[in-house]
Amino acid sequence: MNALALAKPGSMRAGELIRQFSIVLVFFLIVAFFSFASQYFLTWPNWLNLVRQSSINGVLAIGVTFVILTKGIDLSVGSVMALTGMIAASLVTDTNEHFVLWGVLAGLAVGAVLGLVNGVLVAAIKVPPFVVTLGMLSVARGLTLIFSDGRPIPNLSDAFTWIGAGQVMFVPVPILVLLLVFLIGWTVLNYTTFGRYVYAVGGNEKAARTSGVSTKIVVGSTYVISGLLAGLAGIVLSARTTAALPQAGIGYELDAIAAVVIGGTSLAGGRGSLLGTLIGALIIGTINNGMDLMGVSSYYQQVLKGTIIVVAVIADQIRK
């Protein structure tokens, strides 16, 4: 049986069902804890804010999921966010309010190009993903500071800030963006040949290559997807904060990877789902929100998130 026959992203075996149930159970336990810890946690305004905040990390994490499914890693998404948000914002200030579409397209294009650079270096030149994306993290952050001269870009047009702060039928636009990205990504992974190839390459790259899969194109494409969605997240973040900040996106790569790993996607590749990633992003958002309401220092939050990643990886190794 070849690698493609073994790659069944749409199937839900008993083990996968147990993992998904476990993630949901953990989510509700966390919600129950913070419900008792803070009287404001279960209020509608707080939950609306929580999901809106989680939507940016969710978009990032969906892109990172594609990469991790092929046994890769993308540490550059936070810096790519900052650069794409800065470039998009530079085209959509009050004096350029009619260039919203161009600003959005420019931000997405820059994210995709940076992802393409990562993909070529990883897939074609065989540089380890950790090294490539760590280098891109520094390069993109430096380009952000050069482009902005270390200063924020304020006074963004109302049409642009609507992307991050607007609503459609009482639903915040960032949440709608996340749902749209999730539906497209879920469909691609579960019902297209490319999605089947992603699972096959992550499960056994040599077997996939023997089966006729162009593994370089598949792996490279996942980094383009990650860069593109990092660009989209950067645009939403800039629109939500009504200003593009050169320090934006710092630490976001940690939250995105944590969401993916908590969601059950294996760092060894070939196993995972976007539904798990979505729940993982909600878990990270809930922890951040709940600890903020409790007045817990952000320093301790970083410790907790790092610990969660390590525990999730250990759990994955035990399952294997």
Side-chain angles (χ1 to χ4, degrees):
M1 184 176 293
N2 62 31
L4 298 183
L6 293 173
K8 297 179 179 179
S11 64
M12 290 289 285
R13 296 181 292 272
E16 183 66 22
L17 286 171
I18 292 173
R19 281 195 293 272
Q20 297 293 343
F21 176 77
S22 299
I23 297 167
V24 174
L25 178 61
V26 168
F27 173 67
F28 281 111
L29 288 175
I30 293 172
V31 169
F33 171 78
F34 285 122
S35 299
F36 287 103
S38 173
Q39 61 179 326
Y40 303 105
F41 181 75
L42 283 182
T43 61
W44 173 249
N46 182 63
W47 268 92
L48 197 62
N49 183 57
L50 186 158
V51 178
R52 185 189 287 115
Q53 290 177 328
S54 300
S55 63
I56 297 175
N57 184 41
V59 171
L60 267 186
I62 288 171
V64 174
T65 301
F66 276 84
V67 172
I68 292 180
L69 282 173
T70 61
K71 208 179 300 184
I73 196 75
D74 192 347
L75 302 174
S76 67
V77 289
S79 296
V80 172
M81 274 182 67
L83 179 59
T84 55
M86 190 68 65
I87 290 174
S90 69
L91 297 173
V92 295
T93 58
D94 286 339
T95 56
N96 297 315
E97 60 181 8
H98 300 297
F99 289 89
V100 172
L101 178 60
W102 290 111
V104 171
L105 292 177
L108 294 177
V110 170
V113 168
L114 295 179
L116 178 62
V117 173
N118 285 338
V120 169
L121 291 174
V122 171
I125 306 180
K126 299 298 182 182
V127 182
F130 180 88
V131 175
V132 171
T133 57
L134 182 62
M136 183 59 75
L137 179 152
S138 181
V139 169
R141 183 65 61 180
L143 290 174
T144 302
L145 295 172
I146 292 171
F147 182 83
S148 65
D149 198 23
R151 294 192 294 266
I153 299 178
N155 303 320
L156 305 184
S157 68
D158 292 340
F160 183 77
T161 57
W162 178 84
I163 298 173
Q167 294 183 345
V168 176
M169 299 294 291
F170 305 105
V171 180
V173 174
I175 297 176
L176 294 177
V177 171
L178 171 61
L179 292 176
L180 178 61
V181 170
F182 171 77
L183 289 174
I184 293 174
W186 183 81
T187 301
V188 168
L189 279 180
N190 289 278
Y191 294 104
T192 69
T193 302
F194 174 76
R196 199 176 182 86
Y197 286 171
V198 168
Y199 280 94
V201 171
N204 190 325
E205 183 174 355
K206 183 178 180 180
R209 188 184 305 113
T210 303
S211 300
V213 177
S214 180
T215 57
K216 291 182 179 180
I217 293 178
V218 172
V219 172
S221 296
T222 61
Y223 285 92
V224 174
I225 292 171
S226 183
L228 179 68
L229 293 184
L232 178 59
I235 291 168
V236 175
L237 179 62
S238 294
R240 186 171 185 272
T241 56
T242 68
L245 306 175
Q247 69 271 27
I250 294 177
Y252 273 65
E253 61 279 340
L254 177 64
D255 283 359
I257 294 172
V260 176
V261 175
I262 291 171
T265 298
S266 174
L267 289 174
R271 188 176 71 248
S273 71
L274 289 187
L275 179 59
T277 294
L278 191 63
I279 298 173
L282 284 175
I283 289 175
I284 292 296
T286 302
I287 291 173
N288 289 339
N289 180 270
M291 295 183 77
D292 284 340
L293 291 176
M294 293 174 62
V296 177
S297 168
S298 61
Y299 304 147
Y300 292 101
Q301 294 183 34
Q302 292 296 321
V303 172
L304 177 60
K305 282 185 282 190
T307 302
I308 289 173
I309 292 176
V310 173
V311 171
V313 173
I314 292 174
D316 179 60
Q317 293 298 318
I318 292 174
R319 285 197 300 265
K320 288 173 61 180

